[in-house]
Amino acid sequence: MKPAPKTFHVKSFGCQMNVYDGERMAELMGAQGMVAADADSSDLVVLNTCHIREKATEKVYSDIGRLRKDQGKLGRTPMIAVAGCVAQAEGEEIVRRAKVDVVVGPQAYHNLPALVAKAAAGTSALDTDLPALTKFGHLPARRRVGPSAFLTVQEGCDKFCTYCVVPYTRGAEVSRPFAAIVDEAKALVDAGAREITLLGQNVNAWDHDEKGLHDLIRALDRIPGLARIRYTTSHPNDMTQGLIDAHAQVESLMPFLHLPVQAGSDRVLKAMNRAHTRDSYLRLIDRIRAARPDIALSGDFIVGFPGETDAQFAETLSLVDAVGYAQAFSFKYSPRPGTPAATLPGQIPAEVMDDRLQRLQAALNRDQHAFNRASVGRTCPVLIERSGKLPGQMLGKSPWLQSVHLVTGGQIGDLVDITLATAGPKSLSGVPTTVAALQRTVA
Ligand code: SAH
Ligand code: SF4
Ligand code: F3S
């Protein structure tokens, strides 16, 4: 038996969906009267885990060990809950191996308070059911959020890329109803959000009552006080003409699109079961750029998929050259137990993967820096998200999702007009446009 926890800490790993889930779990605990605290001093620690790449599981076990040691030094025994995708994938095994108190999957976390109560009564508690969307009906209302908030609209994945665990850990594709999303968006704006990023493992596959993501975006565009809309992550095959048109027509929809391609070779794409080709992807990019010429493009890449030859990897590099990404994420292929690719012949040696990743990242960093340099002189609104390290410095985001440092009288949550002044590899500095105009007059 452990006393019912009074304080809690949620630590989220992985994608933005997990960040959103972590916030909702914290709200659930708050509604139970628990108070947020540090990991080292909390009665309950929730590890909201990610399973996407290797060592994720081992990392969870070592985190649990470290947590027990750190709190043990203070004579404490925290209650530990494992949530997220490792919880879904490992289930009972975590209870057996690490003797944690609670295991809860990503579709069942609305039951966390009940599971915690059960654990406090002395039995370890597990719930890894995958009911479609039940949890949303059980979560408390949104009360206080930062200027930029996440809103999950779609969950799960039916694409079954051969390397990926998501269809197994998150279940099948399901879309939340239109009205529930609009209500939550309004609540987020009332709670302080000026920007909302719609989330889904395949967010552009969202559909409900014959409506598509573009209809949802147009509805959110009409919410007073909501200045910016973004969405992530999109699959190339679900990029409809309606959504492309929205990029040309909806002012609050930001000129940024994360559209993972994974690889540049058709042979590799086919083995990955991506269901698009290099050429269809490049033609799609052309259509998006025709609709919104200044759009900033982002992507995900995997190097060293089983069987990938040097020549096929070179096709990834040439695709990067052809697109010119504003930013991107790149990973070494990681075999995931239970996925088809894990048992394919031709697994690539570590040193080859390292070399390919280094070359790809050099190209992506070069392009990101070039995109940032090409932005210098642009005037745009920046949404201030937090204060910076230097006195008076604030940090915000440009419409193209670039990090911008600026010194301004503005507060967190303000949209300030700035002129982008200098560009680094990962961020820019900006000057309030009024000041920039003065500087020009003086010069
Ligand atoms: N639904 C999104 C994101 C999935 S996970 C999409 O389809 O794009 C985020 C990224 O992790 C993927 O885009 C992919 O680049 C990477 N990833 C997924 N499984 C991986 C694996 N087994 N090894 C290496 N990277 C992987
Ligand atoms: Fe994974 Fe592919 Fe689904 Fe993305 S589309 S979540 S990479 S299976
Ligand atoms: Fe990780 Fe699960 Fe997200 S595996 S990337 S936390 S969907």
Side-chain angles (χ1 to χ4, degrees):
M1 291 252 303
K2 280 180 188 159
K6 295 192 177 65
T7 51
F8 73 93
H9 182 85
V10 182
K11 193 169 173 197
S12 288
F13 305 85
C15 62
Q16 288 118 322
M17 315 274 299
N18 254 19
V19 175
Y20 175 87
D21 292 347
E23 287 169 6
R24 306 298 327 250
M25 284 190 262
E27 288 166 350
L28 266 173
M29 300 306 172
Q32 300 290 312
M34 280 187 239
V35 180
D38 290 345
D40 287 349
S41 63
S42 285
D43 302 335
L44 166 69
V45 180
V46 182
L47 297 173
N48 189 22
T49 59
C50 171
H51 198 50
I52 201 84
R53 278 170 289 275
E54 211 176 4
K55 304 206 178 89
T57 318
E58 289 314 308
K59 198 175 166 319
V60 174
Y61 289 113
S62 63
D63 276 356
I64 294 170
R66 186 157 4 98
L67 201 70
R68 287 205 170 113
K69 203 164 130 218
D70 289 349
Q71 286 219 17
K73 282 187 206 147
L74 306 167
R76 300 172 51 91
T77 321
M79 183 183 282
I80 297 177
V82 178
C85 291
V86 175
Q88 192 65 39
E90 295 274 297
E92 292 276 2
E93 174 65 14
I94 309 179
V95 182
R96 219 177 41 75
R97 207 174 131 185
K99 311 264 177 301
V100 297
D101 305 275
V102 173
V103 174
V104 64
Q107 306 301 4
Y109 64 73
H110 55 292
N111 292 328
L112 191 53
L115 295 167
V116 167
K118 196 171 159 198
T123 24
S124 58
L126 175 132
D127 188 346
T128 51
D129 282 354
L130 282 173
L133 304 179
T134 323
K135 66 184 177 209
F136 291 103
H138 295 82
L139 302 175
R142 316 295 315 253
R143 294 203 193 284
R144 222 184 51 212
V145 294
S148 179
F150 290 142
L151 202 180
T152 293
V153 302
Q154 181 276 342
E155 287 223 52
C157 183
D158 297 340
K159 303 282 190 290
F160 290 93
C161 301
T162 54
Y163 50 82
C164 184
V165 292
V166 171
Y168 313 97
T169 61
R170 292 272 170 168
E173 276 179 16
V174 277
S175 297
R176 289 179 71 190
F178 189 87
I181 296 166
V182 174
D183 285 351
E184 189 172 329
K186 285 181 182 156
L188 285 170
V189 172
D190 289 344
R194 303 217 59 195
E195 169 177 282
I196 291 181
T197 302
L198 305 175
L199 299 181
Q201 268 88 18
N202 279 294
V203 72
N204 58 343
W206 181 89
D207 64 353
H208 188 257
D209 278 351
E210 320 250 309
K211 292 193 183 76
L213 189 67
H214 57 286
D215 299 306
L216 186 60
I217 288 169
R218 286 177 192 274
L220 299 185
D221 176 59
R222 290 194 288 274
I223 297 177
L226 181 59
R228 294 180 160 190
I229 302 168
R230 303 180 184 277
Y231 59 95
T232 199
T233 291
S234 295
H235 192 284
N237 289 11
D238 292 319
M239 210 59 217
T240 62
Q241 190 57 45
L243 189 52
I244 296 174
D245 292 343
H247 274 287
Q249 294 159 0
V250 180
E251 208 193 324
S252 61
L253 181 58
M254 291 293 102
F256 181 91
L257 178 63
H258 181 62
L259 197 64
V261 64
Q262 314 298 354
S265 141
D266 283 342
R267 286 285 287 277
V268 175
L269 289 170
K270 190 154 198 295
M272 287 177 164
N273 192 30
R274 284 294 291 182
H276 60 77
T277 63
R278 172 194 181 90
D279 190 50
S280 69
Y281 181 84
L282 289 173
R283 277 184 289 128
L284 177 60
I285 297 287
D286 286 345
R287 281 168 53 216
I288 295 163
R289 281 202 163 126
R292 181 77 206 218
D294 71 332
I295 200 157
L297 292 163
S298 160
D300 288 344
F301 295 88
I302 296 175
V303 301
F305 186 81
E308 184 186 66
T309 64
D310 283 334
Q312 286 164 347
F313 170 66
E315 289 187 76
T316 297
L317 292 177
S318 70
L319 180 132
V320 165
D321 290 346
V323 173
Y325 289 92
Q327 60 173 66
F329 302 92
S330 46
F331 313 100
K332 287 186 267 189
Y333 168 71
S334 170
R336 310 307 293 125
T339 61
T343 48
L344 284 178
Q347 301 284 328
I348 305 292
E351 59 280 11
V352 176
M353 286 219 238
D354 287 338
D355 174 65
R356 287 183 188 166
L357 187 67
Q358 227 172 45
R359 286 160 63 199
L360 176 59
Q361 290 185 339
L364 293 168
N365 290 341
R366 171 203 69 199
D367 289 354
Q368 181 169 10
H369 200 172
F371 183 85
N372 288 345
R373 273 196 303 257
S375 308
V376 170
R378 266 175 168 174
T379 295
C380 63
V382 164
L383 177 60
I384 301 181
E385 295 182 3
R386 55 193 169 92
S387 44
K389 287 200 190 91
L390 306 173
Q393 189 188 49
M394 301 300 258
L395 283 181
K397 292 271 162 55
S398 78
W400 306 280
L401 206 66
Q402 296 151 299
S403 292
V404 181
H405 301 251
L406 63 159
V407 176
T408 154
Q411 305 290 317
I412 292 172
D414 285 353
L415 274 162
V416 284
D417 280 326
I418 60 101
T419 302
L420 295 168
T422 60
K426 300 280 172 195
S427 66
L428 294 107
S429 75
V431 181
T433 303
T434 43
V435 177
L438 271 177
Q439 284 171 344
R440 271 196 300 277
T441 334
V442 174

